[in-house]
Amino acid sequence: MENIIKDIESRFQVSDYVQQRPELAYATVKKELAIALITHLKDIEGFTHFVLLTAVDWLEENKFQLTYILNHPDKKVDLGIRVFIDRANPIMDSAHHLWEQVATYQRELKEMFGIDFPGSPRVDEDFILEGWDDIPPYRRDFDTLQYSRDTYFPREGRSTNDPAEHMKKKLYPDEEK
Amino acid sequence: MKKNKTLWLPDRSKYPEHDSNGKPIVDLQSQKHTKLWQGPNHPGVTGNMSLELTLSGDEIVDAKTHVGYLHRGFEKLMERRTYMQCFPLSIRMCVPEADSNEYVLSTCVEELAGIEIPEAAKWLRTLALEMARLQVLLRVVPGIGATLSLGLGSQWGMYMREQILDRFEELTGGRIYHMYMLPGGVRGHLPDGFKKRMEQNLKDIEQFVANIEDLIFTNSVFKKRTVGRGIIKPEWVSQYGIVGPNARGAGFKRDVRKDYPYLKYSELNFDPYVGKDSDIYTRAQVRKHDLLMTVDLIRQILDKVPTSGDLRAKTPNVLHWEIPKGETYVRSESSRGEYGMYMVSDGSKYPRRVNLRGPSYTHAVALLEKMLINANISDVHAIMVSLQTCPPEIER
């Protein structure tokens, strides 16, 4: 793994290298070089198994982190490629041409995080949600509770108890007085 | 008279043209094509997902999967819960095999928190994972026959599965959702008499597999409907991220237990079966061999599992447990293949992000859409069940 990292460090300006376990490492690369690096890892280094693509919302830093985990089936190692993109204008180059399955991941990220991958097949089609009319729901600033309150309504006759207050009353009834 | 082979090939001129986005242009008024929705609650479809099929006669010319009928947003909900509160959510990510979820979530937390679990807990976790695989395969192996109207084997399988659920109930207190593995270890030792009762179950299962062999695998109708159908081409394995029994059926020796040994798998003797024809029949055979291999693995584990010793490593008060900053990916081999969890911690007591990589995500969406093209409408169920898809993994 170290040799691979040394090689790609110079070619693709890889930074923040973390060896999580002997067979798993993470590295960060700039958005512009990410797809070239992933292509290099697949075609030259042999990371042919695409494990996953997902996003992390760093709301406070106004960034999205995209993580591509690639696996080398022969060397039995994984490399996680991290890419940080602007949260206000979340657009990333598509990698669907490298693995057919990537289009599905990108379609989900468009729907759940609002990250666009122009040119990716069916990226604008609904994946899981249909008729969604709010901000993408996996963003950190999407308030699930508020959405439920605004969209649905409580059934009549139901009351809500705060579990902490309920247990307090049950366990320490004297403290009430 | 020798049959002209070309007579049996479909007339491609009847197929829909595709627009610039690759979308088929279907004119339903032309009477050439029929649009048929299958699911989301069709008895032959695994779970709540729907297939939008475009047919020319009884041949599928275009297929689209529609998921989302049971989306519960578990990954989002986890971001608002402490690590321990994530467990009741995680086990529901794929209902048939909840233990894989417990394992990957526990291991992610342990790795980020720097916790090493005791030896006995490693053995008991290995046992629980194999028991989970066993109860899934008892349903799945005859289930492939059930999609082709051989329902009897499925009923036998359900009965055998109940026996394993009884053992789970003894070990964990639960039948489906066990919550047996928690960060630091497991919740209990083997109960008295467990090994003896399990051994009887394993013997019964071996007899069950012999009966299934007679009922399904030698059945001429089953063979006609499955041999040479639903083929996964070897080049698709990398393109579609195919893992586990589906990859092994295509000739790829991929098994996380062998390739990335975890828990006690490196101390067990096993060799996963690899097929070569990559059709429905081969995938059913791979799973049958997996079932027998699991029986053998459970015997090996029961011979070695410690009956005393620590079960839990010391952990902080779970209500106020803050996990150090970091990220990790942990995988295990579920009955459907590589089952992984990616977890990011920002140093607080709530996970920043949890993402599940279930094998069904790629098998049931992109791959299935590809495999259904040119298939006959009557083969859809068998193809889908042979991939062993689990929609909750897609919509977790």
Side-chain angles (χ1 to χ4, degrees), chain B residues 63-129:
Chain B
K64 278 185 180 176
T65 53
H66 289 263
V67 292
Y69 295 94
L70 43 79
H71 183 58
R72 297 154 295 182
F74 284 161
E75 288 181 359
K76 173 80 175 179
L77 293 172
M78 284 184 178
E79 293 174 12
R80 303 286 195 277
R81 279 156 178 79
T82 63
Y83 285 87
M84 290 302 276
Q85 287 173 332
C86 289
F87 276 85
L89 295 176
S90 80
I91 54 177
R92 286 159 174 84
M93 279 179 165
C94 183
V95 181
E97 205 171 353
D99 304 78
S100 293
N101 298 288
E102 292 177 21
Y103 169 71
V104 289
L105 182 56
S106 299
T107 311
C108 279
V109 173
E110 284 154 7
E111 188 181 315
L112 291 173
I115 292 169
E116 177 74 19
I117 67 169
E119 203 64 1
K122 286 183 185 171
W123 279 108
L124 288 161
R125 280 186 179 187
T126 316
L127 176 66
L129 287 175

Side-chain angles (χ1 to χ4, degrees), chain A residues 20-21 26 48-49 51 54-55 57 60 65 67 71 78 82 99-101 108 122 137 139-140, chain B residues 67 76 79-80 111 238-239 241 260 327-329 331 338 342 352-353 357 361-362 369 396:
Chain A
Q20 180 67 24
R21 291 195 303 268
Y26 289 98
T48 52
H49 175 46
V51 180
T54 193
D57 186 357
E60 304 82 349
Q65 173 190 334
T67 306
N71 172 262
D78 293 287
R82 295 179 292 210
W99 290 276
E100 296 260 355
Q101 55 160 330
E108 186 190 1
R122 297 166 68 187
R139 289 190 177 203
R140 298 280 290 186
Chain B
V67 292
K76 173 80 175 179
E79 293 174 12
R80 303 286 195 277
E111 188 181 315
S238 160
Q239 279 295 313
Y260 309 89
E327 63 190 288
T328 188
Y329 174 74
R331 56 159 68 84
E338 177 183 338
Y342 171 67
R352 184 79 190 193
R353 176 91 175 105
R357 194 270 188 217
Y361 190 79
T362 48
E369 285 179 354
R396 67 280 161 197

Side-chain angles (χ1 to χ4, degrees), chain A residues 47-168:
Chain A
F47 283 81
T48 52
H49 175 46
F50 184 85
V51 180
L52 63 84
L53 163 62
T54 193
V56 187
D57 186 357
W58 297 103
L59 176 65
E60 304 82 349
E61 296 164 32
N62 203 24
K63 283 177 184 168
F64 280 127
Q65 173 190 334
L66 288 170
T67 306
Y68 300 78
I69 297 184
L70 313 178
N71 172 262
H72 197 306
D74 300 326
K75 290 183 180 167
K76 316 273 187 254
V77 289
D78 293 287
L79 185 55
I81 301 298
R82 295 179 292 210
V83 185
F84 289 91
I85 59 171
D86 183 14
R87 197 175 180 278
N89 184 28
I91 296 177
M92 180 63 194
D93 296 334
S94 175
H96 73 274
H97 56 287
L98 298 172
W99 290 276
E100 296 260 355
Q101 55 160 330
V102 175
T104 310
Y105 286 94
Q106 292 178 164
R107 204 172 141 205
E108 186 190 1
L109 287 178
K110 174 80 187 283
E111 184 171 89
M112 292 298 180
F113 286 90
I115 301 168
D116 199 7
F117 297 87
S120 184
R122 297 166 68 187
V123 73
D124 295 318
E125 279 182 40
D126 289 338
F127 181 57
I128 285 173
L129 310 171
E130 284 180 3
W132 186 255
D133 57 358
D134 213 308
I135 65 169
Y138 272 30
R139 289 190 177 203
R140 298 280 290 186
D141 48 358
F142 173 72
D143 188 338
T144 45
L145 184 60
Q146 192 57 47
Y147 181 83
S148 299
R149 283 176 180 151
D150 294 344
T151 312
Y152 310 109
F153 49 88
R155 273 186 286 165
E156 278 182 31
R158 292 190 77 178
S159 60
T160 305
N161 295 311
D162 176 27
E165 283 300 314
H166 174 76
M167 291 311 291
K168 204 171 159 187

Side-chain angles (χ1 to χ4, degrees), chain B residues 131-264:
Chain B
M131 284 171 62
R133 186 187 324 280
L134 188 60
Q135 57 91 16
V136 170
L137 291 173
L138 284 170
R139 218 172 48 160
V140 167
V141 174
I144 300 173
T147 59
L148 300 169
S149 300
L150 290 163
L152 178 62
S154 213
Q155 292 175 29
W156 293 345
M158 288 304 266
Y159 171 75
M160 296 311 305
R161 177 174 175 262
E162 285 297 311
Q163 315 300 309
I164 301 303
L165 297 188
D166 286 347
R167 299 291 81 75
F168 260 124
E169 195 170 5
E170 281 182 40
L171 181 66
T172 70
R175 294 178 75 80
I176 307 294
Y177 299 133
H178 309 123
M179 301 278 286
Y180 182 61
M181 300 176 216
L182 294 169
V186 294
R187 283 198 291 114
H189 273 298
L190 291 185
D192 290 341
F194 182 91
K195 287 185 186 179
K196 195 178 161 194
R197 287 187 289 276
M198 179 58 98
E199 180 50 39
Q200 184 57 50
N201 294 147
L202 298 180
K203 278 182 188 162
D204 293 345
I205 288 168
E206 282 170 332
Q207 182 58 50
F208 159 78
V209 174
N211 293 342
I212 286 293
E213 186 73 36
D214 291 343
L215 181 77
I216 296 175
F217 288 98
T218 55
N219 184 300
S220 61
V221 174
F222 182 76
K223 279 186 174 174
K224 274 194 172 177
R225 298 285 306 272
T226 56
V227 173
R229 301 204 186 192
I231 288 175
I232 294 175
K233 292 180 182 170
E235 59 266 30
W236 293 355
V237 170
S238 160
Q239 279 295 313
Y240 291 94
I242 299 169
V243 291
N246 296 337
R248 290 200 288 278
F252 290 77
K253 198 165 191 173
R254 299 262 173 91
D255 190 313
V256 178
R257 293 170 294 178
K258 275 280 179 196
D259 300 339
Y260 309 89
Y262 53 101
L263 295 174
K264 287 292 172 187

Side-chain angles (χ1 to χ4, degrees), chain B residues 43-47 139-148 246 280 283-284 287 336 368 379-389:
Chain B
V45 175
T46 59
R139 218 172 48 160
V140 167
V141 174
I144 300 173
T147 59
L148 300 169
N246 296 337
I280 300 173
R283 288 195 288 279
R287 288 184 171 86
R336 298 171 306 289
L368 185 65
D379 293 334
V380 174
H381 312 146
I383 291 173
M384 196 171 178
V385 173
S386 76
L387 295 175
Q388 206 187 334
T389 57

